[in-house]
Amino acid sequence: MVEKEDMSQYLEAFSSEAEEHLQNLNDNFLALEKSPDDEEIVNQLFRSAHTLKSSSAAMGFLKISELAHSMEDVLGRLKNREI
């Protein structure tokens, strides 16, 4: 985990990357509605959720990380055709 005093130097990079992943999640969830059997869309969603989970945890944003982890779990089940 990043120390509090060092966090400010990484916050802008985290914010930019998180915004990209959130936009990707939004776009791909909309695409999944139109193509529910498209495995590549599910893979892209999973990767964005995973990256958001990891980077949030590294920054100490545990609530965001927990939410992304839950999303990753559901997407993993979707990916494995359990749901």
Side-chain angles (χ1 to χ4, degrees), residues 4 6 14 16 21-23 25 29 33-34 46 50 52 54 63 66-67 79 82-83:
K4 293 284 185 204
D6 296 335
F14 168 80
S16 177
H21 286 293
L22 290 170
Q23 186 63 54
L25 287 164
F29 275 124
E33 281 184 320
K34 294 177 183 174
F46 186 87
H50 178 78
L52 190 57
S54 300
K63 295 236 184 248
E66 290 169 7
L67 176 63
K79 194 172 154 178
E82 295 170 16
I83 56 172

Side-chain angles (χ1 to χ4, degrees), residues 6-23:
D6 296 335
M7 199 167 135
S8 63
Q9 69 183 1
Y10 301 108
L11 188 56
E12 187 174 329
F14 168 80
S15 295
S16 177
E17 182 179 309
E19 188 174 331
E20 284 180 34
H21 286 293
L22 290 170
Q23 186 63 54

